């Protein structure tokens, strides 16, 4: 069910994601993807005297993201109109349209803070059962608040960037000393990332009713995780080096507005949440994003984002309820997207039950975690308006061996 | 012992910290503090045709910080020479020298990632005894690695900024529902922050032998903490909203070079650390920084940084051993500086033993945590060359009440 319908081309006018690209000799600039082409928005906007032309000449989306929801909507309408030929500018567009394989894609955003949530009850429950078999699967706080923590913004990389296997400490096996070396449990986390466009003021919480106005767009995200490093280090202050070596995001950022037809009710929250996390269905909603995880081209999972317990509006309200501000470029990730069924789990930790039930991921013998050379790709789409489809930017990365020293 | 010797003026030529300041109608720029004056380095460097004049005209120290250790040293020598009149430019300096009370001080750095360690065995042991009385005081990993986590870079504020009491969830008291409201256990953490000047390459760990070359300077830091929010949220992914509402740093950044005379051996590490954390004494050293915590002008503690278990070089080596890169502007904080004695504990959590043994902090009746209106100030100094003293920039903040809604 996750492949686009036959004959339905991907990245049609329902998607129109923004990215940052360059061609040899040219500075990086903002483009929009249509099918397998990129339209140079800096060039197009300049040629057509668009008042926001300057934001497209930037080497990141941040200036565009800072403009706010009214101008995001206007600009998207202008882009769609230009690309669908409705305004008689098709010859101008053609001059600024190049093929995807002729460009280099860059990290689309200067990431401000990177916050990672833990919003799937299925994922959190699986992790609890694997790592803390003698405790309740979900921590006592889990259904009362969307648990989150800060990740490393400086190591967010664009899709296609190789990922070096991290080295680090792991728990002692024999004797009192910890082990050390390349991670033996290198994993993925299939996630969805929300990029904050407009910031907020320190000391002023963003209510659920306002959260949506701050969200610029959506990326797919792979939160690479070294389970052995993480398991040894994470008590009591949380994951650190088990995650901080790399987080990959898609090169293409699909505007949040594109998902208006993909809003779905949450699966249900019980017990009821506190007031600051509560709101009507048009503020607190799930998203019907259909994801797919491929390892070396083999599909290993098909998580559905509609199974997530917490809504993105609740995440934003929670992370600001203490007065913490948002900034343009903040990356708010959902946490691993896992559903109730085995073939919808979003990490190898879950898919192989901590390596005890190896998968065939095309790397030779059945394996529990990632081998050097493995290529991981996450793709996704969502229902669009009028039966169309919104394609999400894919995120991929290949594992390189640890450095020898 | 923590007050400067009588007659020894603070911020003498041993310190010469950099900061960012502005005067009415002028853009923020880089200055250096000498006693109670600020010298406009943008103006001075321009007047004297200094080749690095452009970095001083920036509204943050980041461009200066990116220049690297050789030029940091040269620039500091040039500044000292100019300010001590050795080069016959005293008239030029006088034209660019203004009093501290005539300027506005700004956040001195665009913070990239904020990493907070937990490097005092006394603090970690106290917290363990208070929060986890049935477990060993130090977690099993504590003596094998400097535990750290990522904090929120976007809410780092400059000394003097008011801090709004955060609201948030706390553990259920009666019945199943969590509480909600303004934090009732608002605390401080007296810390030292190290600012990373030159970055490193993704995938390439920074060894202890190289760590020092990446460290530009030192700030005092107050990692404000809401203990009730933190206690409820922190399992399993670590502190989040209990910390993210504000972290204050001093406006003045003292160059790391200024502390050469304050290097001291670490108290001792047992068991021995793994190889990547090991090195000779001139790479792995403590710092003899004498700190003082004042609440409403009353001295409540005098922590000594030389009591810290882990060295800053080990923190840098650890946080990059997995290949994570450093960036200009990364803020690496020590964690709460506590010594073995009660009057050297660096948090009210410890000083009042979780509120059970209230202190008189000048707010009226004895109290365990901070009241609205309380003013917290952290100061510090270190031995300088030739019997002189290096003054650290102070960090202060006053508590404002939570917003009413």
């Amino acid at each position: 069910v996750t492949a686009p319908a036959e004959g339905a081309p991907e990245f049609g006018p329902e998607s129109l994601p923004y990215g940052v690209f360059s061609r040899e000799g040219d500075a990086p600039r903002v483009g929009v993807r249509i099918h397998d082409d990129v339209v140079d928005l800096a060039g197009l906007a300049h040629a057509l005297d668009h008042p926001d032309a300057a934001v497209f000449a930037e080497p990141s989306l941040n200036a565009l993201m800072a403009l706010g929801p009214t101008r995001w909507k206007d600009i998207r309408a202008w882009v769609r109109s230009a690309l669908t030929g409705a305004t008689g500018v098709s010859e101008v567009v053609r001059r600024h349209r190049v093929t995807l394989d002729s460009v280099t894609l860059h990290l689309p955003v200067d990431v401000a803070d990177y916050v990672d949530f833990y919003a799937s009850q299925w994922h959190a429950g699986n992790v609890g059962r694997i790592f803390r078999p003698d405790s309740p699967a979900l921590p006592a706080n889990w259904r009362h608040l969307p648990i989150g923590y800060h990740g490393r913004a400086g190591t967010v990389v664009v899709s296609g960037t190789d990922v070096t296997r991290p080295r680090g400490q792991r728990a002692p096996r024999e004797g009192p000393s910890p082990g050390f070396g390349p991670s033996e449990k290198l994993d993925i986390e299939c996630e969805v990332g929300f990029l904050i466009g407009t910031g907020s003021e320190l000391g002023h919480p963003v209510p659920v009713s306002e959260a949506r106005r701050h969200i610029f767009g959506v990326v797919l995200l792979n939160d690479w995780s070294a389970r052995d490093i993480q398991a040894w280090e994470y008590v009591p202050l949380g994951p650190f080096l088990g995650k901080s070596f790399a987080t990959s995001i898609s090169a293409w950022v699909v505007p949040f507005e594109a998902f208006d037809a993909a809003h779905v009710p949450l699966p249900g929250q019980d017990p009821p949440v506190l007031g600051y996390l509560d709101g009507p269905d048009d503020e607190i909603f799930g998203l019907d994003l259909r994801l797919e995880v491929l390892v070396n081209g083999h599909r290993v999972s098909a998580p559905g984002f509609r199974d997530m317990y917490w809504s993105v509006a609740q995440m934003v309200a929670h992370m600001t309820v203490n007065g913490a501000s948002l900034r343009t470029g903040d990356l708010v990730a959902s946490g691993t997207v896992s559903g109730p069924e085995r073939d919808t789990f979003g990490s190898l930790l879950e898919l192989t039950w901590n390596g005890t039930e190896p998968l065939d991921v095309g790397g030779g013998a059945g394996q529990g975690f990632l081998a050097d050379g493995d290529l991981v790709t996450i793709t996704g789409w969502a229902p669009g308006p009028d039966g169309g489809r919104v394609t999400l930017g894919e995120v991929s990365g290949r594992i390189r061996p640890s450095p020898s020293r």
Side-chain angles (χ1 to χ4, degrees), chain A:
Chain A
V1 296
T2 64
E6 198 154 2
E10 296 191 306
F11 294 102
E14 299 88 352
S15 297
L16 299 181
Y18 299 107
V20 172
F21 77 101
S22 62
R23 286 192 294 170
E24 204 172 320
D26 280 352
R29 63 192 60 188
V30 175
V32 63
R33 180 164 175 180
I34 177 80
H35 304 309
D36 288 329
D37 291 343
V38 181
V39 174
D40 174 356
L41 288 179
L44 184 69
H46 181 76
L48 297 178
D49 271 335
H50 191 282
D52 289 315
V55 303
F56 302 119
E58 294 284 322
S60 80
L61 299 181
N62 292 54
L64 170 61
M65 291 162 63
L67 293 179
T70 305
R71 285 162 81 188
W72 302 336
K73 194 177 180 73
D74 291 347
I75 288 172
R76 183 168 160 84
W78 171 78
V79 168
R80 183 190 284 110
S81 166
L83 266 60
T84 54
T87 48
V89 296
S90 56
E91 179 49 35
V92 185
V93 172
R94 195 153 35 234
R95 282 206 309 271
H96 294 283
R97 182 166 174 157
V98 296
T99 59
L100 193 58
D101 59 13
S102 71
V103 306
T104 300
L105 296 173
H106 302 271
L107 186 66
V109 60
D110 286 335
V111 180
D113 274 295
Y114 165 37
V115 171
D116 195 18
F117 281 93
Y118 193 51
S120 160
Q121 66 176 310
W122 308 107
H123 171 68
N126 287 335
V127 170
R129 275 185 286 275
I130 291 169
F131 282 140
R132 296 175 288 273
D134 300 328
S135 303
L138 291 180
N141 53 11
W142 201 91
R143 291 178 187 276
H144 296 289
L145 54 84
I147 293 176
Y149 72 105
H150 290 102
R152 192 165 186 79
T155 57
V156 175
V157 298
V158 68
S159 176
T161 305
D162 287 344
V163 172
T164 301
R165 178 181 300 274
R167 298 182 311 160
Q169 293 195 22
R170 34 178 187 263
R173 282 177 195 160
E174 296 166 20
S177 291
F180 181 82
S183 171
E184 296 172 353
K185 291 190 171 181
L186 185 53
D187 198 0
I188 60 163
E189 293 197 337
C190 169
E191 304 196 15
V192 172
F194 299 88
L195 285 165
I196 298 297
T198 44
S200 66
E201 197 182 341
L202 188 64
H204 295 265
V206 176
V208 288
S209 60
E210 288 292 321
R212 203 171 154 179
R213 295 175 51 81
H214 292 270
I215 302 171
F216 173 77
V218 178
V219 291
L220 292 178
L221 184 149
N222 188 343
D223 183 34
W224 306 94
S225 298
R227 301 300 180 189
D228 42 359
I229 296 173
Q230 181 184 352
W232 172 233
E233 73 177 354
Y234 88 105
V235 173
L237 300 186
F240 186 42
L241 295 177
K243 303 276 195 173
S244 66
F245 54 98
T247 304
S248 300
I249 64 170
S250 54
W252 297 105
V253 181
V254 181
F256 198 51
E257 183 192 343
F259 299 99
D260 283 354
H263 292 195
V264 290
L266 293 180
Q269 296 181 327
D270 182 34
V273 296
L274 288 174
Y276 79 95
L277 294 172
D278 203 5
D281 286 353
D282 63 340
E283 293 173 1
I284 296 176
F285 48 81
L287 290 168
D288 184 15
L289 314 181
R290 326 265 178 111
L291 311 180
E292 192 165 75
V293 180
L294 300 104
V295 179
N296 300 327
H298 297 246
R299 185 172 98 167
V300 300
S301 182
F305 194 79
R306 65 183 302 156
D307 289 325
M308 301 300 275
Y309 190 87
W310 294 101
S311 161
V312 64
Q314 292 174 316
M315 298 178 203
V316 170
H318 183 63
M319 68 186 270
T320 62
V321 70
N322 67 345
S325 46
L326 302 175
R327 287 186 295 173
T328 298
D330 283 344
L331 172 60
V332 178
S334 62
T336 306
V337 184
S338 289
E341 309 296 335
R342 187 80 171 224
D343 61 359
T344 61
F345 292 171
S347 69
L348 295 175
L349 176 73
E350 295 162 87
L351 288 164
T352 71
W353 214 252
N354 199 18
T356 60
E357 302 171 23
L359 284 181
D360 177 6
V361 294
Q367 59 187 77
F369 292 94
L370 294 173
D372 291 344
D374 279 349
L375 175 69
V376 180
T377 302
I378 304 170
T379 63
W381 64 274
D386 306 323
R389 287 182 168 208
V390 177
T391 321
L392 285 150
E394 72 170 33
V395 60
S396 70
R398 188 181 293 281
I399 305 303
R400 293 171 54 132
S402 290
S404 53
R405 68 156 189 128

